[in-house]
């Protein structure tokens, strides 16, 4: 996708309140037919689920998904302040998205500038800037588990870098992803974007960014685990209900 196409597609998604990879779902479980069965819970309890997942689609079919809140753009001073602290101008696409669409919160956890979307420690991209990190890298998105995506603002190509400290490599946790910011956002729009992940090459034993095949293998493992958990929950619900009905029928007030 060209830069203008990416901008317009994200603007449309934000306007339609369909801008996040995560949605808030009322608690429940998938039954044997794939339907979402609500379970008793406090009114303010919600589960965070992946957009487009079986859980999201099933919960949405019964009205158990909360609408996303509207997003607001950043002010010009907030964007200019981020550029001053970084020491480089932001890539034109990112700058325009901040100023015209939203101060973060869209896509794969895009962080905002001052006053915008934060990570789980309530830090914006500006708060995450660290002089000990490579010059010109801007923390554009937070994935969870201390994993971030950075964009290199020191070059017009605006190439993406991953940061995955979970390998224990400390300062070597940064690695190039080999795609530009425009391509990175295009992949998100097309449902093909993967979070940064370091893996140890089975042949060389050197740490490197994961390949698409390695990402897909991990996704399958996670999906299988979720399926087993949902299956166990679905199997357990009727048993507990049956036990309770039997107890009532026999005068047990449990």
């Amino acid at each position: 996708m060209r830069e203008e196409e990416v901008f317009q597609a994200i603007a449309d998604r934000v306007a339609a309140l369909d801008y996040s990879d995560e949605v808030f779902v009322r608690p429940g479980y998938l039954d044997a037919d794939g339907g979402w069965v609500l379970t008793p819970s406090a009114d303010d309890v919600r589960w965070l689920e992946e957009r487009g997942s079986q859980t999201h689609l099933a919960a949405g079919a019964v009205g158990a998904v909360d609408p996303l809140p509207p997003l607001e753009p950043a002010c010009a001073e907030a964007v200019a302040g981020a550029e001053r602290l970084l020491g480089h101008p932001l890539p034109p696409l990112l700058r325009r998205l901040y100023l015209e669409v939203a101060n973060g919160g869209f896509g794969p956890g895009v962080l905002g500038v001052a006053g915008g979307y934060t990570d789980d420690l309530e830090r914006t991209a500006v708060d995450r800037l660290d002089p000990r990190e490579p010059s010109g890298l801007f923390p554009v998105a937070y994935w969870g588990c201390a994993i971030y995506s950075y964009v290199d603002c020191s070059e017009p190509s605006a190439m993406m870098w991953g940061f995955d400290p979970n390998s224990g490599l400390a300062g070597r946790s940064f690695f190039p992803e080999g795609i530009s910011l425009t391509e990175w956002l295009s992949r998100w729009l097309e449902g093909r974007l993967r979070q940064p992940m370091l893996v140890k090459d089975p042949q060389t034993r050197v740490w490197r960014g994961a390949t698409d095949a390695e990402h897909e293998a991990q996704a399958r493992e996670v999906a299988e685990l979720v399926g087993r958990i949902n299956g166990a929950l679905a199997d357990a619900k009727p048993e507990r209900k049956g036990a309770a009905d039997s107890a009532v029928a026999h005068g047990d007030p449990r």
Side-chain angles (χ1 to χ4, degrees):
M1 299 174 70
R2 297 192 302 271
E3 185 172 305
E4 181 60 32
E5 292 174 325
V6 170
F7 173 84
Q8 192 57 55
I10 292 175
D12 290 344
R13 288 276 293 270
V14 170
L17 303 183
D18 181 29
Y19 53 77
S20 176
D21 282 342
E22 297 176 332
V23 293
F24 291 96
V25 172
R26 291 167 59 193
Y29 64 94
L30 290 167
D31 63 18
D33 298 321
W36 190 245
V37 180
L38 293 170
T39 53
S41 61
D43 290 342
D44 60 348
V45 173
R46 295 293 185 272
W47 289 351
L48 201 59
E49 297 290 343
E50 184 179 354
R51 179 181 176 275
S53 66
Q54 185 180 7
T55 296
H56 170 216
L57 298 177
V62 295
V65 178
D66 287 354
L68 293 172
L71 300 178
E72 297 294 333
C75 67
E77 177 52 37
V79 173
E83 293 176 326
R84 283 195 300 271
L85 288 172
L86 180 63
H88 297 275
L90 294 175
L93 175 58
L94 181 60
R95 194 175 202 279
R96 190 177 173 199
L97 285 168
Y98 279 146
L99 290 171
E100 299 181 36
V101 178
N103 193 358
F106 57 88
V110 170
L111 295 171
V113 292
Y117 186 76
T118 65
D119 63 13
D120 56 3
L121 295 178
E122 299 186 356
R123 297 175 299 186
T124 66
V126 174
D127 297 326
R128 281 280 301 140
L129 289 175
D130 188 333
R132 296 170 296 179
E133 294 180 348
S135 176
L137 292 189
F138 185 76
V140 71
Y142 175 62
W143 295 86
C145 297
I147 297 172
Y148 290 82
S149 286
Y150 284 70
V151 58
D152 185 355
C153 300
S154 67
E155 298 290 343
S157 55
M159 299 300 287
M160 297 300 297
W161 286 68
F163 178 81
D164 179 5
N166 298 298
S167 63
L169 294 179
R172 291 181 293 164
S173 298
F174 284 98
F175 59 98
E177 297 198 84
I179 58 174
S180 68
L181 173 68
T182 301
E183 174 62 19
W184 185 77
L185 288 169
S186 296
R187 291 188 183 188
W188 173 72
L189 288 165
E190 295 164 356
R192 299 187 295 114
L193 186 63
R194 308 290 188 183
Q195 76 173 40
M197 183 173 72
L198 278 172
V199 297
K200 184 176 285 187
D201 190 285
Q203 274 74 48
T204 66
R205 310 304 295 168
V206 174
W207 288 91
R208 57 166 172 75
T211 64
D212 287 345
E214 288 164 336
H215 276 296
E216 290 167 5
Q218 184 196 52
R220 285 194 298 271
E221 291 176 5
V222 171
E224 290 170 2
L225 175 61
V226 170
R228 289 197 297 271
I229 292 172
N230 279 328
L233 288 172
D235 291 342
K237 292 295 180 179
E239 291 175 7
R240 285 200 290 269
K241 183 177 185 299
D245 290 345
S246 176
V248 171
H250 289 83
D252 187 340
R254 73 176 69 176

